[in-house]
Every structure is written in C-alpha cells, then in structure tokens.
Amino acid sequence: MTRPQSPPLDGWTAIVLAAGRGTRMRSRLPKVLHPVAGRPMMLHVCDTVRAAGIERIVVVTADADGEVAEAVRAQVPGAAVAPQGEPLGTGHAALAARVAAGDASHLLILNADLPLITERTVRELTQRHLQEHAVLTFLTAYLEDPTGYGRVRRQNGRIHGIVEESDADAVTRGQPEVNAGLYAAEAEWLWPVLADLEPSPRGEVYLTDAIARAVDHPQGAEAYQVVESSEVQQVNTRVELARAEQIMRERIRRRVMLDGVTLVDPATTYIDAGVAIGPDTTLLPGVHLLGSTTVGGGCRIGPSAVVRDSTIGDGCQVGMSTLEGSELAERVTVGPYCHLRPGTRIEADVHLGNYVEVKASRVGARTRVGHFSYIGDADVGADVNIGAGTVTANYDGATKHHTTIGDRAFIGSDSVLIAPVELGADARTGAGTIVTRDVPASARVVGVPGRIREPGEGV
Amino acid sequence: MTRPQSPPLDGWTAIVLAAGRGTRMRSRLPKVLHPVAGRPMMLHVCDTVRAAGIERIVVVTADADGEVAEAVRAQVPGAAVAPQGEPLGTGHAALAARVAAGDASHLLILNADLPLITERTVRELTQRHLQEHAVLTFLTAYLEDPTGYGRVRRQNGRIHGIVEESDADAVTRGQPEVNAGLYAAEAEWLWPVLADLEPSPRGEVYLTDAIARAVDHPQGAEAYQVVESSEVQQVNTRVELARAEQIMRERIRRRVMLDGVTLVDPATTYIDAGVAIGPDTTLLPGVHLLGSTTVGGGCRIGPSAVVRDSTIGDGCQVGMSTLEGSELAERVTVGPYCHLRPGTRIEADVHLGNYVEVKASRVGARTRVGHFSYIGDADVGADVNIGAGTVTANYDGATKHHTTIGDRAFIGSDSVLIAPVELGADARTGAGTIVTRDVPASARVVGVPGRIREPGEGV
Amino acid sequence: MTRPQSPPLDGWTAIVLAAGRGTRMRSRLPKVLHPVAGRPMMLHVCDTVRAAGIERIVVVTADADGEVAEAVRAQVPGAAVAPQGEPLGTGHAALAARVAAGDASHLLILNADLPLITERTVRELTQRHLQEHAVLTFLTAYLEDPTGYGRVRRQNGRIHGIVEESDADAVTRGQPEVNAGLYAAEAEWLWPVLADLEPSPRGEVYLTDAIARAVDHPQGAEAYQVVESSEVQQVNTRVELARAEQIMRERIRRRVMLDGVTLVDPATTYIDAGVAIGPDTTLLPGVHLLGSTTVGGGCRIGPSAVVRDSTIGDGCQVGMSTLEGSELAERVTVGPYCHLRPGTRIEADVHLGNYVEVKASRVGARTRVGHFSYIGDADVGADVNIGAGTVTANYDGATKHHTTIGDRAFIGSDSVLIAPVELGADARTGAGTIVTRDVPASARVVGVPGRIREPGEGV
C-alpha cells in the first residue's frame, strides 16, 4: 500500500514495546501478532511510525528468537530487535532498547497493541514535543469509559502527573483524560531517568513514572490530546480485538466511499488496508477484498464474493464467487459459485457461469465456460465454448499435466480432456467424449475413448 | 409496489430539482440516478410526490436529453422535463419549470436528492400551507449535527429567515433547526418573486432568498417541522448514500416484521421496496429479496440467498442459492448452491438439491433433481428423477435446442441429453448415457451413444 | 449445553405464564414458541429457572393439549402443564397453577416471553426475597423508554405500588422504573390473595394488584432492580423478537471471544447457545454455528459457512460450505461450496475441494476429493484420490445402495460407480468409466461399461 509519506523526522528512533504476554487473549499466538484488518497489529504500528517519518525502529520483544522477533525480522526491514528478557515493566522494556537505539536524539515510545494510532497523531505528538522543548511529551485521550487507564492529573491546566487506576481516588477515577501510551522524549534525558527509576513492590519499572520526573524538570512535561479517541483503543482481549478490527475497517470503508465506490452495506463489506478500487464500482453486501487486491472502475462485485490477492479489470461483474491469486481483464463476468484459484488469468469479455473452477490456466478473450467445468493447468484460446461438465483431467496420480485448447474450439458437454493433450483451433468434441490424444485443428472427436470422425459421421 | 394513495391535491404541481452535478459523489452517473434500496433516488422522490396526491410533476434537469431527462421520460409517466441549462442556483432552477408547470395554483418544490422524504411529510407540509394561508411554507428539521444546512431564524417563534451556514455567527450555527429543502408555495406569488431575486456575487439565485420575501409578505412564511429528522438526509457523497440506503432498508424491515415476517438478523437482510412477503416466513441472515419479488407464507429463506424478480409459493425452503426471474409453486425445496435463471418454473413439491442450475425450463410436480445438474430449455414432467451430473446439452455452437422429459422418467447419473430430444413417460437412461435420439415411453436407453435396450439386457 | 448450576432452591416452584395469545406477532405459532438464537423462548425461560436452582416448574398454557403444552411435555422433562382456559388476566393465570404447584412454600412467577432473563437475576431476586422476609418481591428495571410497562411508585424509597401506563399521570409516566414481570412470593400468602382479587371492568385479574396487597401487609413488598436492563426485553412483535435475538447472540459472542475465539465481525457471526468452540479458532464473517455443534481449537471457519449439529476437530479449515450432522477429524480442509450431509464422517487430513457433496459416508484419512463429486452411502478408504466429476450412483429408482472404495484407489475423472459395488485397494478407474461390477484390488477398469484391463492396455 502506498501512503503519503511525511517528511523524515531526523534523529528520531521509535521504540515499539511488543514484549507483553497478552494472557487475556487466551491464545498461543503472541498478542501483538493477532491480525487487524488482515495484518498483525504490531505491523500496523510499525507502518504508521515509518509513514510519520521515523525510519529507525527498535522492537522490544520478550525473547531474541520468539515469534514476534521473527516477524520483525521478516516483515519490518531494517528494524532492530531488542529482547527484554524478564518482564519487569514498561520502563524496563524501553531501557532494553538503549543499545539498539544508538545515538538517537529523540525517542518515540509506543505500545505495539495500539494498531489504530494514525500517522497524523504521531506527527502531531512529535511536532508538539519539538515546539514546546519539553523533555517528555505524551499522548492523552478523553474516554467515555476510562476504566483501566492511568488518569492524567493537571493543575491549572499544566500536566502534574499520572495516577494509575489502582491508586486513584473517586474524583480522579471520574476524570476522563487518560494516558494513551505514546511518548516522545529527549534521549539524553530519558535514558538516565529510566535507569534510575525505583521499581514497584512487584519489581517492575513503569514508564509512567518518567512523567513525574519530567514534571519536575525545568523544561517540563507536555501532553498532546488525540483528536479521535478511538485511535487509542488498546487490544487486550478478543472483544477489544474485534472492536479495533471494526474501527479500522470503518476507516477504510469511509475512504473508499469518498473516493467514489458504492458500498451498499458498508458494515458487511470487508476491505483490507492494501486494496485499491476504481470509481463507480459497486460492492454488494458480504464482499471481502483481501490482501493485495486491485479492482477497476465500473465493476459490480458480490454479494458474498471473496477476492484475495487478485486483479480485476474495469467493467467486470463478479457474483457470489471465490477468487484467489487471479487476474481478470476487462468486462469479465463470473459466477455465481465460481472458484478461481491461483495462477488464473482470464482475458477480456470472458463469461464464466456457475460452478466453474479454474486453476493455473489462461482463458482467452470472449471464451465462454457456462457451467460445471474444471479448467486446470490449461491454456484455452479465444472464442472457445466449453460445454457443461467439462473436465481437464490434469492429474494421473503422480504428475500434473498440461492441456491446450485452440481458438474457436467447441468442447461438448461432459468431455474429459486427459492431459497432456492439445486440441487445435476450431476443433470440436462430442458430448461425453474422453479425449486421450491430440486433436488436429478443425477436427471432430467423439466417443469413449475419443476417435476422430469424418465430416457427416454421427456421434 | 402498491401504496395507500392519498386523495389528490388539486391545483398542485411538484417541481423536482434534479439538475445538480453532484461532483462529491465522484461518479460518471448523475447523483440523482444513484440507487437507494434498488431504485434511483430521484424516482423515490417522484413516487412519494405522486403517493401524496400530486400527479403533475416537472423535473428540472441539467440538459434536455441527458441521462436524468431520459430516466424521467422512461420511468415517470406523465412527468415533464424542464432543462435548466446553466447551473445558476436553486431559484433559477425552479424558475426553469415555469412554463412546464402551466397554470398550477400551488407548487411543491423539492430536491431530488431527498429519497427518504415520506408521503406523510409531503401531505402534512401541503396541509399546513393551505390551512395557514401562507405564501410560502417550508420544511424544517432539528438535526443533531446541522453542519452544512441553512439555519432557521425565528423571532418569538415566528419564521424570520434562513441564514446560510457561511453567513451564520456562532450562536446561529449552534441552532439545530435547519431548512430541509422542501417548499410549498403560491404560484401566483412565487413566479414573479423568483424572477425578481437578486443573484449572488457568483451569479446564482437562491430559493432560500424567497423565504425572506415571504416573511415580508402580509400572509407571511410558515414552517412545518418534520417528525422524523432522518427523512431529510441529503445525499452528497457515497457515505451519505450508504446512510440513506440503510435508513430506507430499516423502514422496510420494520414494516415486514410488524406484518408477521421473522428476520433473524434485520441488519443483514436486504429487501427492496417492491417486495411482498407472507406471514410466518423466516428470512435468515444475508438474504436479498430484490426487484419485483413475492414470497409466500411459511417459507424459510437463506442464509445468503439472493432472489430477484421471482415468485416463491407458500411453504418453500430456499437455502444458500441464487434465483432470478423464476417461479416456484408450493413446498419447493432448493439448495444449497442452486442457480435458477430466468424462465424457470418449478411446480409443487419439487426438490432441487445442491449445484442445480435451471434455465428457461419447467420442472413438474414432485420431481427430484438432487445434485450437479443443468436443466436448460427443457420441459421436465412430474415425478421424474434426475441423477447426479445430468446435463441437457442445449447448445450446438449455433442454436439452442429444446429437451422434453416425460412424467416418471428416471435419468441415470451423468446422462447427457443432446437437444433437440424427447424422452417419453417412464423412460429410463443408464448412467453415463449420451442420449442422441428420442426415447419412446417406458423404453430404456444406455451407452455412448445411447441405444435402446430390451428389458433384461445389461448396461 | 452445560451451565454452572446454582445450588437448589428448596421449597420453590416456578410458574411460567405461557398462555398469552401474542396476536401482535401475527403468527400461527404461539408467541412463546418463537425461537431466539435457535431455541423457543419459553424453553430459554425454563432453562434459566432450572439453572437458578428451581427444579419444579408449572407452565400455564392456554389449552391442555395445544402446541405449547405439547412443547412443555416434550422438552421440559418433569414440568407440569396447567391450562388456564379463558384468558382472564395474569392473576387468573397464576391461580391456574395452584393445584400443580402443590405444597410449594415459595413461588417464582414469570412470563414466558422474557427469554433474556439470566440465572443470576433469578437467583438475586429469590435471595432478596428470602433475606427481606417480604410476602412478595418483584423485579424492576430502569428503562430509557418505559412505554408500555407499568411504572413503580415509591415513597421515601419504599415500594408503594404499580401504576399501569393507562392510569398513569404525566409525572408517573416519565418515571423510568418499571415492573419487569418477575415475582417471588410466599405461597401461603399469595394463593388466597389471588383468589380474592377484584376483576377489572373487562373481567381480568391482574397479578400486579397483588403488589398493592403486599404493600399493605406488615411484611411488605420488596423490589430487586435488575443490573442489565436488556434482560427484561419483552417480546410482543417480530421487531422485539429480532432485538431479543440480537441481545442473546451478543452475549454468546462476548463469551466465546473472552474464551479465546476470534470473531472477525461479531455482528455477523451466529452462534447457537449450545455450541462449544476451542481456543485460537477464527470465525470469519457470515458464519453460522448451529444446534449441537462443537468446533476444535486452531480452526478457521468461513466466511459464510453454515455448520449444524456437527463436530469439527482441531486445525480444520472450512470455507464457504454447508455442514449438517457431520463429523470432521483433525486438519480437514473443506470448500468452498461443499455440502456435507448427515452421516458424513471425514477422517484426519482429508482434503475436500470445491463442489463436493458427501452423504452418509466415511472418507478415510488423507483422501483427496478435489472437485465436483458426489459421495453418497459410501465407505472410502485412506489415501484415495477421487477425480473431478465422480459420482456414486447410489439410487436405482427404488433403493439406495452402498459403495466401497479401498485404500489408495485412484478414481479417474467423471467415473460413475453404480452401487452396490466394491473397488479393492489400489484399484484404478479410467476417466469416464461406468463401473458396474466389483473391481479387484490393484485392478484397472476403463470404458462404458467398465472392463478390467491388463497392465499396458490403453484406455
């Protein structure tokens, strides 16, 4: 996906805290690897940080070689991994990034379970930090239900500290401004502070305690209040995961609608972040556009179509069908109940009717496959007619073989083409023919097994 | 769709303003032709005006022969088209209707992008206008978020004028009563006023300026406040289009539920305005009942069934399937994964199992088509059994041909019936038979190509 | 479904009022038999009462042998039916239970149209009743929209009575605390009171009038206010039925998510009350898990899969498909567009591709059925390959017959196996073969009808 990139933030390093166990997810998968809109939440955070102009990222993980560390190495090019070892609090986690952060002058520290944070918010927070010359600037949010978050204490409007919920009195608990878990800090000031913080009775060091230190510093602490409080939705349970998923999907839906795509029922239209859709395309309810899919303009997709990692040209109509790794040219009609599997390439003006399966094949322009056919490992020419019940028998129990069908061929109903086999241009097969040998151009083949017939001979 | 018609409003002409470009839709299609619940929004407005008792309609369009003008001529019988030419504001647009409006004594002027306005509201507005003897009466609404609308100014409760948002001070902006864009007016008073209004600096004449003139008139201006503010939802973007769609769909859902239909999940049940459904029918999630569809009582439809322009009798069960232009008698069971195409007529107590495609065919009472069959251009009798994989090969590459199957015939699995062909009553085909010639009543045919066998002969 | 059972409430009898006609449902089916989340609402109420520790239930029905009475006898073991006869009000209905209630010391009386009442609320109400030594304790709720409910009148916080909406003045109507229709009472006190209540002008006796009597009693009346007001959602129309359905489904969704199941879009995931799902299973949008279904851990189901009364092992992947009465072992992949019918048993690591129908059959481990096949009344061994278009022709027009396929068999595309028939281990069929006789182990059969070929012979 291409996003507008902010200008680079020089001297900044982002520390992404991804070491938490996330036990409330009740999952074998580490929390930060659970996907939101098709992408692990940790990667959303890294994407956002990079889009906001911070290239250098250190991800603090539980272990040096666990699943999270592997995901960082595989999918966040250039990011460093800093294992925390023992889980001794957020302050301890941030400190684990010290060596990897190197000579950064400014640090952005944020939790990897905040997949909804936007580039704009990261940008605004860093700008506020730089403008105000604070030693630490953190993100706050006004929440209708602040339960579970640390509350912000202000005096005469100035930041006075953070009170953890467990320590808060009734008045403070009723206060809706919370600490959202996103910090910009001066590295030179922060590192020694983190090293010096007093552990809690449970032996943990909290990043929030650094705020108290910043308040006492002459340059002080600053806060930036997020405009859209849904951005700071934390994900600790699958209920919160579902909520984050919904918020992210709604952002995408709104964007594509304003770009000229009709969603008949946005709530049941599922579009992954990387999908591009042309104007005047209509998506009916229950449509899923997933992965790296591109849809042209003037298409009509759905209802209940699933399209993954595919390209659909202008003016296509795709009914209730499943497309994976397929490419459709212009004005192709598909479905209902088709299954296009990876390696499918459908040329312009092709009609695929109902119950058509295509795999690793090309289907030439204007060809019609009306019903109940399996086209696998085949090259089908243009203007071909494939009758109902046609099967390319591509597997002999050991190897997959290839079928070639020439332009304008007419394949009769219930034909089986036993690969490897080649039918020439204008060839015809009778209904129920088992084609075991190549068929010359313009020849007609009928029977079980198929035999070439002279013109005028019967079935 | 039949609605209760209000008594006629004599002397009234409705002017529907449909000339706006609607650029924020980012569409090639003019805004007012975008469908809401399956019907272009302009047509909803015309329907409502007619249902409220105003027969004479003038639609002001951008051009005399653009898409909107064509849609009016094709789909609003008796309505006049008045091209506006240059887009010089709503007052200029209304004035464009003057000739076509003829000798109307009262005018109803409304925007074509208000698809949710109800007959009742139109009726109430016109009644208020007549009762109060105002020269102009307009519709107002209280909106939670009035952004983008002109605000109503009142003094001591009396209408004092409209302030456009751009001209409004903070107090006026905070005022939630807005001008909804629906006007009743005395023709004799309005025409000269419109002709006399001062254009704005951009050269546009605004209908709202007529309100100020009416306020100064001895008979004054009146306002009628809409009861349900969702009725005045404007449609300027696809986001607003989706909202209008949802509101209209919810109205329909509520109506059918109160009439005795169970919607297991109303939010994912899509019913077009013209659809009729009998009591004690259950619609499961993901069902679409579209176009001019009728469903009987005691049916169970879905989940994820799509039914368009079809008639379904009492007591039918339709699973996840697609029906288009089809007719089902009583107690038919269909699906999952069937596709009934236009011209399908299924008689009582038929069972269509999974992966059954029927097109332009009759299927007689109690016949069973269990699996994987294509019945096209065929007449199938009663009490027939169609085996798995049966195909009516109706196309020879040039023409479509017809198949007839007599009552009580038994078609073996994987039979291909090469049309034109006729199988008599009680005929049987063996599995895998390619039927190339007519089969007499009670005969048995087997082989490739099929040959008639004597009783007792093998396959 | 197994719920944690509360300890028994000795001496209590529950009276479930299920005699109402429910005419606003516009249904032939009695209101209390309409299902919510797949189970008649009356049964939800009986389940809840039993789960709360009250074993003895009397259901007051309109007739002694109507549909409701039959449902009670069939589905609420041990419950008594008490016909009300003439519908003369809720007090009259409760009194109809007197004989059947026998020597109960405490009574719990509740309407059968309150399917959302929880075990916890029943428990809390009965505890409050016993602790406060009241003669009658009833459930109240604070409703945002109390329209249609009787309002609670209090003086200095003490219960002073109930005012029916029709008798309420404006102040009382604006009061949001309502009578929810759930009563705990001392039997010894209640029976004579009910017998003594004055009928209304319409001849009806109201249970609410007993509250006034209790207020005058030295032990007084008590109220318990429900924590979650959605529990007292009454169901009088299909609109309210849909709301109750939604609330119950959301409870189930929340529960399974907190237990470690990912719901990508909870709003379109439909899980019946009795379904169990293992951790780290993902349910995609449009999935229905119905009846007595069990899904293992680490599965991926959907989108738009329908699974009813089936068991799915760990690590399975089920695409858009329909499963009924089927059993899948571990790591089975299914779909899209499969239909597994009752009696299907799929062993571990089997792959069923697209358009595969299985009925009353076993499919052995690691077998692959890639496309377009009907496996009915069959026993298929392990490591078998079933080619595209294979049909077990199990029906001869009179009887269903059985097919057996040995381990490692290879069934060529478009084969028809005419049952009864048995193919030995390692048998092979050529494409398009009609198998009419048993095939020995390791033999190869080709043709129409199929003949055994020696090794090296052609098709």
Side-chain angles (χ1 to χ4, degrees), chain A residues 1-9 39 43-57 118-120 122-123 127:
Chain A
M1 185 181 127
T2 52
R3 304 198 202 184
Q5 292 281 328
S6 298
L9 283 163
R39 192 162 168 76
L43 297 183
H44 283 293
V45 171
C46 292
D47 287 350
T48 301
V49 163
R50 288 250 164 102
I54 303 181
E55 188 55 32
R56 286 167 57 191
I57 295 179
T118 61
E119 173 192 339
R120 177 185 153 185
V122 170
R123 197 81 196 165
Q127 295 308 324

Side-chain angles (χ1 to χ4, degrees), chain A residues 271-434:
Chain A
I271 306 169
D272 277 0
V275 171
I277 314 172
D280 275 335
T281 280
T282 296
L283 304 181
L284 295 166
V287 164
H288 301 244
L289 301 182
L290 307 174
S292 57
T293 287
T294 300
V295 178
C299 294
R300 189 173 175 86
I301 314 283
S304 300
V306 180
V307 181
R308 181 184 293 278
D309 297 332
S310 296
T311 300
I312 297 179
D314 292 340
C316 287
Q317 308 238 359
V318 178
M320 192 181 294
S321 289
T322 302
L323 281 63
E324 305 163 292
S326 296
E327 198 180 317
L328 277 58
E330 298 74 35
R331 298 173 305 280
V332 173
T333 59
V334 178
Y337 314 120
C338 284
H339 186 200
L340 307 190
R341 297 162 55 194
T344 293
R345 199 174 121 231
I346 309 290
E347 300 188 346
D349 299 299
V350 164
H351 169 65
L352 306 181
N354 36 220
Y355 323 111
V356 175
E357 174 187 7
V358 185
K359 179 215 121 187
S361 299
R362 173 186 81 102
V363 177
R366 296 173 303 282
T367 284
R368 301 179 65 81
V369 190
H371 4 227
F372 298 105
S373 292
Y374 171 50
I375 308 294
D377 302 314
D379 185 277
V380 179
D383 298 301
V384 171
N385 190 93
I386 306 271
T390 296
V391 169
T392 54
N394 57 330
Y395 183 56
D396 59 10
T399 321
K400 302 269 175 169
H401 298 285
H402 200 263
T403 299
T404 302
I405 300 176
D407 293 345
R408 296 173 306 281
F410 182 90
I411 309 300
S413 299
D414 231 8
S415 296
V416 180
L417 313 182
I418 299 184
V421 71
E422 180 164 352
L423 287 79
D426 299 295
R428 293 180 68 98
T429 74
T433 302
I434 308 293

Side-chain angles (χ1 to χ4, degrees), chain A residues 3 16 18 25 29-48 59 67-72 74-76 111-117 235 241 244-245 248-249 272-273 291 308, chain C residues 300:
Chain A
R3 304 198 202 184
V16 175
M25 297 293 284
L29 191 70
K31 181 174 83 172
V32 299
L33 295 184
H34 278 261
V36 171
R39 192 162 168 76
M41 60 177 109
M42 180 196 71
L43 297 183
H44 283 293
V45 171
C46 292
D47 287 350
T48 301
V59 182
E67 283 177 90
V68 178
E70 272 177 45
V72 172
Q75 299 186 58
V76 192
N111 292 331
D113 65 352
L114 292 172
L116 300 167
I117 284 289
V235 176
L241 180 68
E245 174 92 21
M248 184 160 288
R249 294 228 179 260
D272 277 0
R308 181 184 293 278
Chain C
R300 189 173 173 87

